[in-house]
Structure formats: structure tokens, C-alpha cells
Amino acid sequence: MNGIIVYASKYGSTREYALLIAQKLGVEALRASEVPSEKVRRPHYVVLGSPIYAYSVLPEMEAFLESNREILEGKPLAAFVVCGDTMWNPKAGEGGSKNLEKLTRFLSAEPFTTAIFGGRMRMEELDEEDGPRIRAFYERIGREATGFDRMEPGDVDPFVDRINEFLASGV
Ligand SMILES: Cc1cc2nc3c(=O)[nH]c(=O)nc-3n(C[C@H](O)[C@H](O)[C@H](O)COP(=O)(O)O)c2cc1C
């Protein structure tokens, strides 16, 4: 069955996950800010992916969901987020679910499957807005601003499997 991946990404890690998922599913991955509505209308299912910035999805994903609301209604949706904090509240066993909600709360129906992927933040890549913001954050929590790389490309496999299982179920 035909699908499409629509993603937002500022520094490329979500884009990398989106391209990998697209390659494994044999579908196209397009940027939320660039995809024409026609491209969203045709496919049977849509996979949405966004990084988390300051407890939100990127504005380009929010704008995409807003302007394609009617088209997306009634289509099977899968959703993933990419973030630094995949273990928001490990004690409560939430495992980043708060971050996932930042995306799923914009959807009119429950996605048939979801995933939370570890992201990457390279200090030297951050622009003049993000750099000082992140340095101030690390200072506040008393840690050195080193950035991180929690990318796990293999994590897409169970997500892709669940999408394929859903498609095979003929829903
Ligand atoms: C300014 C800034 C704010 C961020 N805020 C959050 C956050 O609130 N929660 C979180 O889990 N990760 C946060 N991150 C980490 C990003 O989600 C992570 O770096 C992600 O991989 C970025 O995706 P991208 O490379 O596709 O833009 C933040 C990163 C930056 C640079």
C-alpha cells in the first residue's frame, strides 16, 4: 500500500530517521514545509516525524498539520518524535511519552503506531539562537554543555515492522 513520510528537522537527525524509514518502506519522505497538499491527498497512509524543541514540535510540523487537517482525517497515521530526552520520567515508566504527546495532540485520531527515537545535538552546529539557549540551559542545571549523540538507526526496524504489520492486516 502506498504511503508517504512527512518530517520536520532543523539539524538533520529527524531527516536521517525519516529517510531510513522511507527507504525501508519503499515510499517518499518529504519536508513538512515543502510538501504540496496534493502529495498528501493521494497516499493511503502518512508517517509523521518531528524533533522536539523546547517541549514542542517544530513550527513547520504544526503548520503542516494545521493546513492539511482535513486531508489527514480518516487516513491511517503513524507518528514518531526525535528528542534528547527519550526517558522523560523513567521512574514512572513514561519513557519520553510526554514528548510524543507534543506531536500526537495535534492529530484528530490515534496513530496506529508511534515511536520515540534518540536524537543528536552538536554544539558546534547550533545557530545564534539555539547555541546561547542551550548553553544557558546547561548552566542552569550545572552541567557542561557537551551536546550528545543518541541516534540509533536500528531503532527504526521495530517501527517499520509495526507499519508493515498494520498494512498487511488490510485495515
Ligand atoms: C534549542 C534546542 C531545544 C531542545 N529542546 C528539547 C526538549 O525540550 N526536549 C528534548 O527531549 N530534546 C530537546 N532538544 C534536543 C533535540 O530534540 C535533538 O537535538 C533532535 O535530534 C534535533 O532534531 P533535528 O536534528 O532533526 O533538528 C533540543 C535541542 C535544541 C537545539
Side-chain angles (χ1 to χ4, degrees), residues 9-14 51-55 82-85 99 119-121 126 130 134 148:
S9 184
K10 190 164 177 185
Y11 297 105
S13 52
T14 312
I52 298 297
Y53 278 84
Y55 312 106
V82 178
C83 50
D85 193 358
N99 276 343
R120 180 178 62 214
M121 190 173 74
L126 301 181
D130 293 339
I134 289 297
F148 55 83

mmCIF file of all heavy atoms in Angstrom, residues 9-14 51-55 82-85 99 119-121 126 130 134 148, ligand 1:
data_model
loop_
_atom_site.group_PDB
_atom_site.id
_atom_site.type_symbol
_atom_site.label_atom_id
_atom_site.label_comp_id
_atom_site.label_asym_id
_atom_site.label_seq_id
_atom_site.Cartn_x
_atom_site.Cartn_y
_atom_site.Cartn_z
ATOM 1 N N SER A 9 12.679 18.925 10.464
ATOM 2 C CA SER A 9 14.018 18.707 11.019
ATOM 3 C C SER A 9 14.806 19.997 10.913
ATOM 4 O O SER A 9 14.721 20.683 9.899
ATOM 5 C CB SER A 9 14.721 17.605 10.211
ATOM 6 O OG SER A 9 15.970 17.287 10.764
ATOM 7 N N LYS A 10 15.537 20.352 11.958
ATOM 8 C CA LYS A 10 16.350 21.565 11.872
ATOM 9 C C LYS A 10 17.809 21.238 11.578
ATOM 10 O O LYS A 10 18.420 21.843 10.710
ATOM 11 C CB LYS A 10 16.223 22.362 13.180
ATOM 12 C CG LYS A 10 16.825 23.739 13.077
ATOM 13 C CD LYS A 10 16.383 24.644 14.197
ATOM 14 C CE LYS A 10 17.092 25.992 14.079
ATOM 15 N NZ LYS A 10 16.804 26.878 15.200
ATOM 16 N N TYR A 11 18.374 20.271 12.295
ATOM 17 C CA TYR A 11 19.797 19.946 12.117
ATOM 18 C C TYR A 11 20.023 18.575 11.493
ATOM 19 O O TYR A 11 21.150 18.106 11.443
ATOM 20 C CB TYR A 11 20.532 20.049 13.457
ATOM 21 C CG TYR A 11 20.516 21.456 14.023
ATOM 22 C CD1 TYR A 11 19.688 21.788 15.089
ATOM 23 C CD2 TYR A 11 21.307 22.462 13.471
ATOM 24 C CE1 TYR A 11 19.657 23.073 15.603
ATOM 25 C CE2 TYR A 11 21.282 23.753 13.974
ATOM 26 C CZ TYR A 11 20.456 24.053 15.042
ATOM 27 O OH TYR A 11 20.422 25.336 15.546
ATOM 28 N N GLY A 12 18.974 17.919 11.028
ATOM 29 C CA GLY A 12 19.158 16.736 10.188
ATOM 30 C C GLY A 12 18.934 15.371 10.814
ATOM 31 O O GLY A 12 18.846 14.388 10.092
ATOM 32 N N SER A 13 18.829 15.278 12.142
ATOM 33 C CA SER A 13 18.706 13.922 12.696
ATOM 34 C C SER A 13 17.334 13.314 12.388
ATOM 35 O O SER A 13 17.247 12.137 12.037
ATOM 36 C CB SER A 13 19.033 13.883 14.193
ATOM 37 O OG SER A 13 18.308 14.835 14.908
ATOM 38 N N THR A 14 16.286 14.108 12.476
ATOM 39 C CA THR A 14 14.948 13.583 12.146
ATOM 40 C C THR A 14 14.880 13.245 10.653
ATOM 41 O O THR A 14 14.250 12.262 10.256
ATOM 42 C CB THR A 14 13.859 14.602 12.531
ATOM 43 O OG1 THR A 14 14.111 15.045 13.861
ATOM 44 C CG2 THR A 14 12.478 13.989 12.449
ATOM 45 N N PRO A 51 11.206 16.501 15.406
ATOM 46 C CA PRO A 51 12.023 16.600 16.619
ATOM 47 C C PRO A 51 11.284 17.431 17.665
ATOM 48 O O PRO A 51 10.319 18.132 17.342
ATOM 49 C CB PRO A 51 13.273 17.336 16.137
ATOM 50 C CG PRO A 51 12.827 18.160 14.984
ATOM 51 C CD PRO A 51 11.666 17.423 14.358
ATOM 52 N N ILE A 52 11.759 17.341 18.894
ATOM 53 C CA ILE A 52 11.193 18.139 19.991
ATOM 54 C C ILE A 52 12.155 19.281 20.314
ATOM 55 O O ILE A 52 13.346 19.050 20.556
ATOM 56 C CB ILE A 52 10.965 17.267 21.247
ATOM 57 C CG1 ILE A 52 9.960 16.144 20.950
ATOM 58 C CG2 ILE A 52 10.491 18.117 22.426
ATOM 59 C CD1 ILE A 52 8.554 16.600 20.584
ATOM 60 N N TYR A 53 11.630 20.481 20.262
ATOM 61 C CA TYR A 53 12.397 21.679 20.614
ATOM 62 C C TYR A 53 11.635 22.430 21.691
ATOM 63 O O TYR A 53 10.481 22.815 21.469
ATOM 64 C CB TYR A 53 12.595 22.579 19.387
ATOM 65 C CG TYR A 53 13.736 22.120 18.516
ATOM 66 C CD1 TYR A 53 13.552 21.136 17.570
ATOM 67 C CD2 TYR A 53 15.011 22.657 18.668
ATOM 68 C CE1 TYR A 53 14.596 20.682 16.785
ATOM 69 C CE2 TYR A 53 16.071 22.219 17.891
ATOM 70 C CZ TYR A 53 15.859 21.231 16.957
ATOM 71 O OH TYR A 53 16.903 20.787 16.185
ATOM 72 N N ALA A 54 12.292 22.630 22.843
ATOM 73 C CA ALA A 54 11.671 23.355 23.951
ATOM 74 C C ALA A 54 10.241 22.844 24.197
ATOM 75 O O ALA A 54 9.282 23.611 24.198
ATOM 76 C CB ALA A 54 11.685 24.864 23.698
ATOM 77 N N TYR A 55 10.144 21.520 24.356
ATOM 78 C CA TYR A 55 8.877 20.854 24.715
ATOM 79 C C TYR A 55 7.781 20.999 23.653
ATOM 80 O O TYR A 55 6.606 20.900 23.972
ATOM 81 C CB TYR A 55 8.359 21.368 26.076
ATOM 82 C CG TYR A 55 9.422 21.385 27.147
ATOM 83 C CD1 TYR A 55 9.984 22.580 27.580
ATOM 84 C CD2 TYR A 55 9.869 20.182 27.693
ATOM 85 C CE1 TYR A 55 10.982 22.588 28.553
ATOM 86 C CE2 TYR A 55 10.873 20.178 28.663
ATOM 87 C CZ TYR A 55 11.412 21.378 29.083
ATOM 88 O OH TYR A 55 12.398 21.383 30.039
ATOM 89 N N VAL A 82 11.741 12.699 17.608
ATOM 90 C CA VAL A 82 13.178 12.555 17.836
ATOM 91 C C VAL A 82 13.547 13.586 18.898
ATOM 92 O O VAL A 82 13.167 14.757 18.780
ATOM 93 C CB VAL A 82 13.970 12.793 16.528
ATOM 94 C CG1 VAL A 82 15.464 12.686 16.775
ATOM 95 C CG2 VAL A 82 13.520 11.810 15.457
ATOM 96 N N CYS A 83 14.236 13.155 19.936
ATOM 97 C CA CYS A 83 14.480 14.072 21.051
ATOM 98 C C CYS A 83 15.709 13.668 21.849
ATOM 99 O O CYS A 83 16.224 12.556 21.708
ATOM 100 C CB CYS A 83 13.243 14.112 21.950
ATOM 101 S SG CYS A 83 12.623 12.496 22.438
ATOM 102 N N GLY A 84 16.156 14.602 22.681
ATOM 103 C CA GLY A 84 17.273 14.302 23.559
ATOM 104 C C GLY A 84 16.809 13.465 24.728
ATOM 105 O O GLY A 84 17.478 12.540 25.176
ATOM 106 N N ASP A 85 15.637 13.798 25.211
ATOM 107 C CA ASP A 85 15.113 13.185 26.418
ATOM 108 C C ASP A 85 14.111 12.097 26.074
ATOM 109 O O ASP A 85 12.907 12.307 26.102
ATOM 110 C CB ASP A 85 14.443 14.288 27.251
ATOM 111 C CG ASP A 85 14.146 13.824 28.652
ATOM 112 O OD1 ASP A 85 14.428 12.652 28.960
ATOM 113 O OD2 ASP A 85 13.632 14.638 29.435
ATOM 114 N N ASN A 99 7.002 13.675 25.343
ATOM 115 C CA ASN A 99 7.480 14.248 24.083
ATOM 116 C C ASN A 99 6.610 13.802 22.903
ATOM 117 O O ASN A 99 6.302 14.587 22.012
ATOM 118 C CB ASN A 99 8.939 13.863 23.836
ATOM 119 C CG ASN A 99 9.904 14.800 24.551
ATOM 120 O OD1 ASN A 99 9.523 15.896 24.956
ATOM 121 N ND2 ASN A 99 11.148 14.378 24.694
ATOM 122 N N GLY A 119 17.860 11.480 19.634
ATOM 123 C CA GLY A 119 18.384 12.428 18.647
ATOM 124 C C GLY A 119 19.854 12.743 18.845
ATOM 125 O O GLY A 119 20.584 11.989 19.500
ATOM 126 N N ARG A 120 20.249 13.873 18.285
ATOM 127 C CA ARG A 120 21.659 14.276 18.309
ATOM 128 C C ARG A 120 21.709 15.787 18.450
ATOM 129 O O ARG A 120 20.861 16.504 17.902
ATOM 130 C CB ARG A 120 22.283 13.856 16.980
ATOM 131 C CG ARG A 120 23.747 14.199 16.812
ATOM 132 C CD ARG A 120 24.254 13.687 15.488
ATOM 133 N NE ARG A 120 23.544 14.317 14.375
ATOM 134 C CZ ARG A 120 23.264 13.724 13.224
ATOM 135 N NH1 ARG A 120 23.609 12.475 13.004
ATOM 136 N NH2 ARG A 120 22.623 14.379 12.285
ATOM 137 N N MET A 121 22.654 16.271 19.209
ATOM 138 C CA MET A 121 22.832 17.729 19.288
ATOM 139 C C MET A 121 24.329 18.020 19.296
ATOM 140 O O MET A 121 25.028 17.655 20.247
ATOM 141 C CB MET A 121 22.169 18.284 20.551
ATOM 142 C CG MET A 121 22.120 19.800 20.568
ATOM 143 S SD MET A 121 21.157 20.412 21.966
ATOM 144 C CE MET A 121 22.294 20.104 23.298
ATOM 145 N N LEU A 126 24.900 24.470 16.335
ATOM 146 C CA LEU A 126 23.749 25.272 16.764
ATOM 147 C C LEU A 126 23.848 26.717 16.279
ATOM 148 O O LEU A 126 24.927 27.316 16.309
ATOM 149 C CB LEU A 126 23.616 25.231 18.290
ATOM 150 C CG LEU A 126 23.424 23.841 18.907
ATOM 151 C CD1 LEU A 126 23.278 23.931 20.416
ATOM 152 C CD2 LEU A 126 22.229 23.113 18.304
ATOM 153 N N ASP A 130 19.875 29.060 19.085
ATOM 154 C CA ASP A 130 19.911 27.806 19.857
ATOM 155 C C ASP A 130 21.160 27.682 20.720
ATOM 156 O O ASP A 130 21.084 27.165 21.842
ATOM 157 C CB ASP A 130 19.836 26.602 18.904
ATOM 158 C CG ASP A 130 18.494 26.514 18.212
ATOM 159 O OD1 ASP A 130 17.522 27.102 18.728
ATOM 160 O OD2 ASP A 130 18.413 25.858 17.157
ATOM 161 N N ILE A 134 20.877 26.839 24.674
ATOM 162 C CA ILE A 134 21.309 25.536 25.203
ATOM 163 C C ILE A 134 22.418 25.714 26.243
ATOM 164 O O ILE A 134 22.425 25.058 27.281
ATOM 165 C CB ILE A 134 21.773 24.623 24.040
ATOM 166 C CG1 ILE A 134 20.559 24.188 23.206
ATOM 167 C CG2 ILE A 134 22.544 23.419 24.545
ATOM 168 C CD1 ILE A 134 19.528 23.337 23.945
ATOM 169 N N PHE A 148 25.216 15.796 22.537
ATOM 170 C CA PHE A 148 25.044 14.343 22.682
ATOM 171 C C PHE A 148 24.743 13.722 21.329
ATOM 172 O O PHE A 148 24.356 14.428 20.390
ATOM 173 C CB PHE A 148 23.902 14.033 23.670
ATOM 174 C CG PHE A 148 22.593 14.677 23.309
ATOM 175 C CD1 PHE A 148 21.736 14.098 22.383
ATOM 176 C CD2 PHE A 148 22.224 15.899 23.882
ATOM 177 C CE1 PHE A 148 20.541 14.700 22.043
ATOM 178 C CE2 PHE A 148 21.030 16.506 23.546
ATOM 179 C CZ PHE A 148 20.192 15.904 22.613
HETATM 180 C C1 LIG B 1 17.272 24.631 21.188
HETATM 181 C C2 LIG B 1 17.012 23.180 21.432
HETATM 182 C C3 LIG B 1 15.947 22.792 22.256
HETATM 183 C C4 LIG B 1 15.700 21.437 22.522
HETATM 184 N N1 LIG B 1 14.662 21.102 23.332
HETATM 185 C C5 LIG B 1 14.437 19.781 23.624
HETATM 186 C C6 LIG B 1 13.370 19.405 24.508
HETATM 187 O O1 LIG B 1 12.605 20.232 25.003
HETATM 188 N N2 LIG B 1 13.228 18.092 24.791
HETATM 189 C C7 LIG B 1 14.055 17.126 24.265
HETATM 190 O O2 LIG B 1 13.877 15.956 24.575
HETATM 191 N N3 LIG B 1 15.046 17.456 23.382
HETATM 192 C C8 LIG B 1 15.262 18.750 23.056
HETATM 193 N N4 LIG B 1 16.259 19.091 22.178
HETATM 194 C C9 LIG B 1 17.031 18.036 21.505
HETATM 195 C C10 LIG B 1 16.525 17.795 20.069
HETATM 196 O O3 LIG B 1 15.236 17.243 20.092
HETATM 197 C C11 LIG B 1 17.500 16.850 19.332
HETATM 198 O O4 LIG B 1 18.741 17.508 19.219
HETATM 199 C C12 LIG B 1 16.991 16.427 17.945
HETATM 200 O O5 LIG B 1 17.814 15.376 17.492
HETATM 201 C C13 LIG B 1 17.011 17.551 16.940
HETATM 202 O O6 LIG B 1 16.437 17.101 15.728
HETATM 203 P P1 LIG B 1 16.877 17.642 14.283
HETATM 204 O O7 LIG B 1 18.377 17.340 14.132
HETATM 205 O O8 LIG B 1 16.069 16.844 13.319
HETATM 206 O O9 LIG B 1 16.606 19.104 14.211
HETATM 207 C C14 LIG B 1 16.521 20.433 21.905
HETATM 208 C C15 LIG B 1 17.573 20.838 21.062
HETATM 209 C C16 LIG B 1 17.825 22.183 20.820
HETATM 210 C C17 LIG B 1 18.957 22.564 19.907
#
